[in-house]
Amino acid sequence: MQNFQSFDLPARLKDAAGEVRRVKSLVGTAMMAALNLVLNQFTIAVSQFLEIGFAFLATAVAGYLYGPVLAGLMGIVTDTLGWFLRPNGAYMPFWAINEFLLGFIYGCFFYKKKVTLPRTLAACLCSAALINLCLTPLWLHLQYGNAFVLTSVRLIKNIIKLPLDTALLYALLKMVEQRRKNLL
């Protein structure tokens, strides 16, 4: 059996791409996408540009179970369907890049790997830094204009949310990991 604890990313991505051909993986990903859409309806709007949500949990579970490829594709689908369910401004396909990357990041960190607190913290930190602090202000700027001014508010929000997201995600993934071991 291949050692999935290694950092051989091309081999891991090839293995994860195989999940696309498994009906069980597609059905599981569809269920996680539905859960993501439900969780996305319960976001807390801090301002027009700042929301707190929990849909990332479903994306992370999809990344853990089905890998970065399916979790990333799930992100594109849920972003598009989510806009139809709760439109917030004009549709802009750049937001789908954020959702793809979120699923991809969680899949890279967790797919066929043991869930640990340092790994969970690293995944949350990576997604917060790349998506929340770099790409989101860029998309807001392109969509609404001068949104880069809110970077300090966004930084404070992410500093506060990082330990909470990490704790929630770690607890959830540990439960999924334990349940998965019991089923196998």
Side-chain angles (χ1 to χ4, degrees):
M1 184 174 170
Q2 184 179 3
N3 179 9
F4 288 103
Q5 297 297 329
S6 70
F7 292 107
D8 186 13
L9 188 61
R12 290 176 40 76
L13 288 176
K14 183 179 178 185
D15 181 53
E19 295 285 346
V20 175
R21 288 184 240 116
R22 296 184 59 218
V23 173
K24 185 176 177 181
S25 298
L26 291 173
V27 170
T29 303
M31 290 174 54
M32 288 297 111
L35 181 60
N36 179 298
L37 290 170
V38 169
L39 289 172
N40 196 34
Q41 298 304 308
F42 300 103
T43 59
I44 301 164
V46 177
S47 73
Q48 180 185 4
F49 302 108
L50 199 57
E51 292 182 341
I52 297 173
F54 303 99
F56 76 96
L57 295 169
T59 304
V61 170
Y64 170 77
L65 294 173
Y66 309 114
V69 176
L70 270 180
L73 293 174
M74 181 190 103
I76 294 171
V77 170
T78 57
D79 177 69
T80 306
L81 290 176
W83 183 83
F84 283 109
L85 291 173
R86 197 178 73 146
N88 188 9
Y91 179 74
M92 193 166 147
F94 294 130
W95 294 107
I97 295 171
N98 281 15
E99 295 302 320
F100 174 84
L101 287 173
L102 185 66
F104 191 83
I105 288 167
Y106 285 135
C108 286
F109 273 94
F110 297 118
Y111 182 60
K112 294 193 177 180
K113 291 190 173 196
K114 184 173 173 37
V115 176
T116 63
L117 189 56
R119 178 172 284 133
T120 307
L121 176 62
C124 288
L125 189 60
C126 183
S127 68
L130 177 64
I131 296 167
N132 299 347
L133 298 176
C134 292
L135 292 178
T136 296
L138 175 62
W139 307 148
L140 288 171
H141 176 71
L142 292 174
Q143 192 166 14
Y144 297 112
N146 206 2
F148 281 110
V149 175
L150 297 175
T151 303
S152 61
V153 173
R154 187 165 301 284
L155 181 63
I156 292 167
K157 174 208 151 196
N158 280 282
I159 289 170
I160 293 169
K161 264 193 77 182
L162 182 65
L164 298 172
D165 287 355
T166 301
L168 274 172
L169 185 57
Y170 179 71
L172 178 64
L173 288 179
K174 280 308 250 185
M175 288 189 322
V176 171
E177 182 180 58
Q178 188 59 41
R179 181 78 175 166
R180 190 175 198 193
K181 284 180 186 176
N182 291 341
L183 290 174
L184 297 178

